């Protein structure tokens, strides 16, 4: 199909598609003349994935490119793809000082948590550093009581991870598995955030005895 | 204290503090001369909150301002604060067309979920619209099997919301409760995202039988 049909089949405007092509988010089509190229179903599929990462996952162009590279890496394992995609979407924690020692205390708290949960996770990994940063923020704000439910978060995360990987491992093709890992990672954050807001709204409304309207 | 001490006590550079003052994220100090102002412990506390919202919560300046307004609104209830803060941090779903009917199908799926969970949530609320958008994205990408664990997400969200509100309701002062609602909302997303990554890393490593290194 030509770029116009690719646009109409995905709802993505032609100039936007050209921008993604320039940014390397979408592979080039097959050139049929100096000014024309043909695109296939693979382009439709990839374009939908790009839109989901940018619009729903709120990833940057650079992070989206990295995530796609993780999917496309030849000979990748599921575990390797997950690691690469996690690095791509997890922002480096801001360096900043630790004048108040909060980060050191948070580091200890996360180590104890990982030990208690029996988690085998890399000490210097991006996910772990991100968690340490968040825990330190709670402590700096004097919200230690809210860290009392850290295990509730951990249990929820364990269950979701186990359920998700079971679904993905049940898929017959490796391509589908790799894509599922990345989609579960990126869109799963957005899904959980929206779900939390709805549950908070319900719990809060019950607490004040208001009726839905 | 002067602005220099405010800076050294929070680790926030003076020019950044001045920027926050101009942007209305921090109330003005008490002016003691044309070029000097005095700041108090309230400024230290607020400045830490602003940093956490921007750096850990990844909110924009505008969203942070709205969240702070929700905290400062006089006579606010906890439920009202939550609603205002949720609106501030939940991006409007992109309008876009629904050529493929995915959003309509997602709307139905979310309605059935809310009914099944007994959630009393506003039909047009920001949280609900955000969830519909994410579910539609899964469907457009052909990931319906991953939506099979939607109830796992819902249960996790319910438990976290209930645990969080119990901690917050146990606080003795309304100010602390209001602040807790907002911090739980914004930093809780970051906490859950980091926790999910760690649990995914552990589950994935077990699946491949690799050892932590």
């Amino acid at each position: 199909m030509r770029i116009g049909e690719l646009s109409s089949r995905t709802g993505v405007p032609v100039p936007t598609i050209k921008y993604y092509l320039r940014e390397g988010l979408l592979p080039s089509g097959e050139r049929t003349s100096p000014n024309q190229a043909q695109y296939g179903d693979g382009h439709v599929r990839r374009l939908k994935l790009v839109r989901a990462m940018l619009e729903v996952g709120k990833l940057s162009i650079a992070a989206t490119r990295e995530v796609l590279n993780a999917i496309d890496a030849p000979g990748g394992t599921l575990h390797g793809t997950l690691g690469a995609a996690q690095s791509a979407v997890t922002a480096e924690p801001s360096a900043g000082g630790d004048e108040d020692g909060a980060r050191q205390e948070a580091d200890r708290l996360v180590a104890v948590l990982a030990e208690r949960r029996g988690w085998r996770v890399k000490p210097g990994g991006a996910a772990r550093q991100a968690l340490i940063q968040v825990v330190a923020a709670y402590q700096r704000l004097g919200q230690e009581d809210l860290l009392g439910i850290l295990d509730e978060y951990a249990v929820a995360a364990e269950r979701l991870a186990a359920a998700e990987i079971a679904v993905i491992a049940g898929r017959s093709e490796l391509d589908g598995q790799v894509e599922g890992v990345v989609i579960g990672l990126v869109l799963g954050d957005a899904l959980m955030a929206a779900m939390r807001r709805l549950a908070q709204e319900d719990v809060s409304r019950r607490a004040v005895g208001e009726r839905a309207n």
Side-chain angles (χ1 to χ4, degrees), chain A residues 1-209:
Chain A
M1 73 194 83
R2 294 202 189 154
I3 197 165
E5 191 184 339
L6 182 59
S7 168
S8 62
R9 277 185 54 186
T10 55
V12 180
V14 170
T16 308
I17 295 177
K18 289 185 174 169
Y19 172 63
Y20 295 159
L21 285 164
R22 283 198 303 277
E23 288 289 334
L25 301 185
L26 197 65
S28 307
E30 194 187 335
R31 201 149 289 282
T32 51
S33 85
N35 294 315
Q36 264 180 19
Q38 286 287 322
Y39 300 90
D41 288 340
H43 288 92
V44 173
R45 192 173 173 79
R46 177 53 55 102
L47 198 44
K48 288 181 181 176
L49 185 59
V50 167
R51 288 299 263 192
M53 298 285 134
L54 293 172
E55 299 211 332
V56 183
K58 309 288 180 204
L59 295 190
S60 65
I61 293 279
T64 301
R65 193 187 300 114
E66 272 190 74
V67 163
L68 296 174
N69 287 343
I71 292 180
D72 294 336
T77 62
L78 277 191
H79 187 65
T81 304
L82 176 69
Q86 281 200 351
S87 297
V89 303
T90 309
E92 289 290 318
S94 46
D98 188 29
E99 298 83 1
D100 52 3
R103 197 170 298 184
Q104 208 178 343
E105 170 65 15
D107 191 309
R108 200 191 53 78
L109 210 147
V110 169
V112 172
L113 175 77
E115 172 80 28
R116 188 164 61 233
R117 310 296 324 166
W119 286 354
R120 293 194 268 167
V121 288
K122 282 190 202 166
R128 183 161 181 159
Q129 293 308 312
L131 181 58
I132 290 169
Q133 193 192 17
V134 184
V135 168
Y138 273 86
Q139 291 169 330
R140 288 201 176 100
L141 296 172
Q143 309 286 315
E144 285 84 357
D145 57 351
L146 277 176
L147 291 179
I149 59 167
L150 211 53
D151 275 88
E152 299 267 359
Y153 276 89
V155 169
E158 282 170 10
R159 289 193 182 156
L160 289 177
E164 211 144 69
I165 215 161
V167 170
I168 291 166
R171 292 184 178 177
S172 55
E173 311 224 344
L174 181 62
D175 279 2
Q177 291 185 348
V178 165
E179 212 180 66
V181 162
V182 172
I183 290 169
L185 173 69
V186 178
L187 296 193
D189 280 351
L191 186 58
M192 188 63 199
M195 205 67 102
R196 283 184 69 227
R197 305 225 195 306
L198 274 181
Q200 285 163 345
E201 185 183 334
D202 176 61
V203 169
S204 163
R205 178 167 284 125
R206 283 168 198 276
V208 296

